[in-house]
Amino acid sequence: MSFDKEKALEMCNRFCDNTLMETLEIVYTDAGEGFLEAKMPVNPRVHQPMGLLHGGATVALAESVGSAASLLFVNPEKQEARGIEISANHLRSKREGVVTGTARIVHKGRSLHLWEVKITDEEGRLISLCKITNMILPRKG
């Protein structure tokens, strides 16, 4: 069975309706074997008081893309991914433009997925480096 990029992106973007991802204007833009990418605009909606990209918004992007990426490895009608740990190192600030979060699988077990998520700017400079661990659970009801 081959990977269907368009179907994967449509599913991930559909899951954003009426969520924090919609509020933050996160859009999934690329996917492939073992990775998922999403973009988020940097504007006053995601600024901290000094006018810079808020670390919490950056982490929200990382968790969103890392959690959605786990859904690409499971049957979302029968299983769900729950983030159980996330860490972030913020390396560069940003005032405006767009950031991209790219999640790449580090470990894919039956019950745990570990992702590295790089948040970069339009020039590919690293803004934050994040790690997320997801627990894979049976979907209830």
Side-chain angles (χ1 to χ4, degrees), residues 40 42 45-49 51-59 90 94:
M40 180 179 74
V42 179
R45 182 185 304 244
V46 296
H47 282 169
Q48 42 92 308
L52 300 170
L53 174 61
H54 193 290
T58 303
V59 172
H90 304 301
K94 184 142 180 77

Side-chain angles (χ1 to χ4, degrees), residues 14-72:
R14 186 180 68 247
F15 283 149
C16 291
D17 292 344
N18 300 310
T19 67
L20 177 65
M21 288 81 73
E22 184 176 68
T23 299
L24 297 179
E25 300 177 354
I26 294 171
V27 176
Y28 295 93
T29 56
D30 198 9
E33 296 291 339
F35 85 94
L36 181 63
E37 176 185 284
K39 296 189 181 297
M40 180 179 74
V42 179
N43 54 41
R45 182 185 304 244
V46 296
H47 282 169
Q48 42 92 308
M50 300 301 292
L52 300 170
L53 174 61
H54 193 290
T58 303
V59 172
L61 172 60
E63 183 154 1
S64 298
V65 73
S67 293
S70 280
L71 292 178
L72 301 180

Side-chain angles (χ1 to χ4, degrees), residues 90-112:
H90 304 301
L91 307 169
R92 181 183 299 270
S93 60
K94 184 142 180 77
R95 289 188 183 278
E96 59 185 17
V98 174
V99 289
T100 301
T102 305
R104 294 197 182 279
I105 192 74
V106 174
H107 172 77
K108 184 185 102 177
R110 285 182 295 121
S111 59
L112 288 177

